[in-house]
C-alpha cells in the first residue's frame, strides 16, 4: 500500500516577519473584547493557531469555518459539534459569495451581550465592541471583512505569506474589528500540517516538491474520497497503488503524454492541485475532529 512520503518535502513556513506579527497579536489581544478565528473549513486543525487557547484565555471566542462551499458538509457539522462542546461559538461561511456573513454581527452581539448590558448600565450606549480577527494567510480574512463591512475595508488577494499591518475597521457604531496580518506559527509540530497548508494554498506550493505533494494528496483522496477520483479522473484507485502511480493513471486518462509511453506527472500534479483549489473535485475536507 502506498504511504504518504515526506522525504522530499522541506517546508519553510515561518518567515521572520511573522515573528513580529505574532508579537503584535499577543500585545493587541489584551485590548479586545472577543477573539474571532477564521479557519479553513477543510482543515480546521491545521489552520488553527495552536497557541490560541493560551493567548485568548478568558476572552469570549467565535470560530468562523470559512470556505464551506469547498468543504464536506457532513464533516463541517462534525467540527461544529466538536467546537461547540468546548464552549466556542461557531459560524459557517462562504465569504466569497457572502453566504453566512450576515450572521456575524448578531452572533457577536449575542456572544458579548453581558458586555453590552454593562455599557448600557454605565450610559455608554455608543461604546463599540472591539473584536480581533485572526487567521492564517489566504484563509479569506479580507474577503470576509469586506463582506461584513459591506465595503472594501481590507486589502484582499494577498500572496500567501505576505503580511500587512494591523488595522481597525468600523463595522457600525457598535462594532470595531481589529484586522491582523495573516500569520503562521513556529510550532507546526508535524509535516502533515505543512502539507495541509500547502494543498489548500496557505503556503506557496512551489516551496516544496509539488509532485510529492500531489502524490500524497492522491493517497488521501484514495482513502477518503475514492469516488471523486473515479468521477473526475476516471481511474480506479487500487489499494496497492502509490501516489505517483495514481497521478500517472490520471495523466494517462487525461492524455498528458510527454513521449511515447511516458506521462507528464508534473502537469497532472498541477492539474490536481488546481482543480482542488477550484472545487472541481467536489466538496472535500481533509481533516476530521479526533
Ligand atoms: P486573506 O485576507 O486571509 O489572505 O484571504 P483573501 O480574503 O485575500 O482570500 C484569498 C482567496 O480566497 C481569494 O481568492 C478569495 O476570493 C478566496 N476566498 C475567500 N473566502 C472564500 C470562500 O468562502 N470560498 C471560496 N471558494 N473562496 C474564498 P483569490 O486569491 O482572489 O482568487 P481565487 O483563490 O478565487 O482563485
Amino acid at each position: 500500500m502506498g504511504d504518504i512520503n515526506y522525504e522530499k518535502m522541506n517546508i519553510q513556513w515561518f518567515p521572520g516577519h511573522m515573528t513580529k506579527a505574532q508579537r503584535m497579536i499577543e500585545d493587541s489581544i489584551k485590548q479586545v473584547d472577543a477573539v474571532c478565528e477564521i479557519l479553513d473549513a477543510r482543515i480546521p486543525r491545521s489552520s488553527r493557531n495552536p497557541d490560541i487557547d493560551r493567548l485568548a484565555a478568558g476572552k469570549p471566542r467565535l470560530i468562523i469555518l470559512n470556505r464551506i462551499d469547498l468543504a464536506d458538509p457532513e464533516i463541517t457539522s462534525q467540527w461544529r459539534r466538536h467546537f461547540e462542546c468546548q464552549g466556542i461559538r461557531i459560524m459557517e461561511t462562504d465569504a466569497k459569495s457572502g453566504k453566512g456573513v450576515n450572521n456575524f454581527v448578531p452572533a457577536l452581539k449575542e456572544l458579548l451581550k453581558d458586555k453590552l448590558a454593562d455599557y448600557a448600565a454605565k450610559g455608554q450606549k455608543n461604546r463599540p465592541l472591539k473584536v480581533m480577527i485572526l487567521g492564517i494567510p489566504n484563509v479569506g480574512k479580507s474577503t470576509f471583512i469586506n463582506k461584513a463591512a459591506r465595503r472594501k475595508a481590507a486589502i484582499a488577494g494577498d500572496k500567501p505569506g505576505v503580511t500587512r499591518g494591523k488595522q481597525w475597521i468600523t463595522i457600525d457604531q457598535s462594532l470595531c474589528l481589529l484586522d491582523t496580518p495573516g500569520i503562521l506559527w513556529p510550532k507546526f509540530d508535524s509535516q502533515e500540517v505543512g502539507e495541509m497548508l500547502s494543498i489548500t494554498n496557505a503556503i506557496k506550493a512551489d516551496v516544496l516538491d509539488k509532485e510529492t505533494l500531489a502524490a500524497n494528496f492522491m493517497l488521501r483522496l484514495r482513502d477518503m474520497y475514492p469516488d471523486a477520483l473515479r468521477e473526475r479522473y476516471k481511474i480506479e484507485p487500487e489499494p496497492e497503488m502509490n501516489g505517483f502511480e495514481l497521478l500517472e493513471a490520471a495523466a494517462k486518462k487525461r492524455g498528458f503524454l510527454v513521449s511515447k509511453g511516458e506521462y507528464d506527472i508534473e502537469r497532472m500534479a498541477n492539474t490536481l492541485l488546481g482543480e482542488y483549489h477550484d472545487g472541481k473535485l467536489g466538496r472535500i475536507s481533509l481533516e476530521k475532529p479526533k
Side-chain angles (χ1 to χ4, degrees):
M1 177 175 141
D3 288 324
I4 303 280
N5 173 3
Y6 288 122
E7 257 172 39
K8 286 193 180 171
M9 300 207 308
N10 176 24
I11 301 169
Q12 307 271 325
W13 54 62
F14 204 69
H17 62 254
M18 291 199 184
T19 313
K20 207 170 134 218
Q22 174 111 337
R23 219 170 293 133
M24 182 279 277
I25 286 169
E26 291 189 34
D27 289 342
S28 309
I29 236 165
K30 296 168 199 143
Q31 303 170 22
V32 297
D33 301 308
V35 173
C36 170
E37 299 166 70
I38 304 189
L39 306 184
D40 186 322
R42 299 167 300 173
I43 51 163
R45 193 165 26 249
S46 294
S47 60
R48 192 150 194 243
N49 188 327
D51 284 336
I52 193 66
D53 289 335
R54 178 180 63 80
L55 293 174
K59 298 273 177 193
R61 310 264 286 281
L62 174 67
I63 284 183
I64 294 175
L65 294 171
N66 190 41
R67 290 214 165 94
I68 50 158
D69 55 311
L70 300 176
D72 184 327
E74 171 53 32
I75 296 179
T76 301
S77 302
Q78 292 175 18
W79 280 108
R80 168 183 276 280
R81 288 194 291 277
H82 170 84
F83 287 121
E84 282 175 347
C85 282
Q86 296 172 26
I88 301 174
R89 189 171 288 263
I90 290 290
M91 271 182 57
E92 295 171 25
T93 58
D94 163 3
K96 198 168 181 168
S97 74
K99 192 175 165 203
V101 178
N102 281 347
N103 299 329
F104 179 56
V105 176
L108 281 178
K109 290 189 176 168
E110 170 64 22
L111 184 70
L112 292 169
K113 61 177 187 295
D114 292 347
K115 191 116 211 165
L116 283 170
D118 187 40
Y119 288 167
K122 289 181 185 154
Q124 300 172 327
K125 274 223 147 111
N126 288 333
R127 185 169 167 185
L129 297 169
K130 290 185 282 184
V131 176
M132 176 183 272
I133 306 286
L134 283 178
I136 58 169
N138 225 26
V139 73
K141 244 151 37 82
S142 316
T143 310
F144 178 85
I145 291 171
N146 289 335
K147 282 274 170 16
R150 297 170 198 277
R151 66 192 145 84
K152 197 160 169 34
I155 309 155
D158 278 357
K159 286 275 173 294
V162 176
T163 53
R164 43 178 195 262
K166 69 173 181 180
Q167 53 175 333
W168 284 101
I169 291 157
T170 305
I171 298 293
D172 61 31
Q173 59 176 11
S174 62
L175 179 63
C176 285
L177 301 181
L178 179 60
D179 184 19
T180 57
I183 61 160
L184 300 168
W185 28 88
K187 281 198 186 162
F188 288 175
D189 46 6
S190 72
Q191 284 285 341
E192 189 178 331
V193 174
E195 182 183 311
M196 293 300 169
L197 295 175
S198 302
I199 293 172
T200 53
N201 250 14
I203 296 177
K204 264 193 228 160
D206 55 37
V207 300
L208 52 81
D209 179 338
K210 228 180 200 181
E211 288 175 33
T212 306
L213 179 72
N216 287 349
F217 182 37
M218 271 291 193
L219 295 179
R220 290 184 189 283
L221 292 171
R222 177 199 62 191
D223 294 343
M224 293 175 76
Y225 296 96
D227 284 344
L229 293 180
R230 291 184 187 109
E231 279 159 32
R232 183 81 199 162
Y233 301 113
K234 313 284 181 254
I235 60 175
E236 185 49 46
E238 305 289 353
E240 70 281 1
M241 288 168 92
N242 69 32
F244 288 97
E245 286 164 347
L246 288 164
L247 278 177
E248 189 180 22
K252 218 181 251 181
K253 288 283 181 186
R254 285 279 166 106
F256 293 171
L257 205 58
V258 188
S259 59
K260 196 164 182 284
E262 198 193 328
Y263 290 92
D264 194 340
I265 302 297
E266 187 187 348
R267 185 173 169 200
M268 192 58 228
N270 283 319
T271 300
L272 176 69
L273 295 168
E275 292 189 349
Y276 179 58
H277 176 78
D278 294 339
K280 289 182 181 156
L281 294 171
R283 299 177 72 176
I284 288 180
S285 295
L286 299 176
E287 290 176 342
K288 290 181 181 172
K290 280 185 178 143

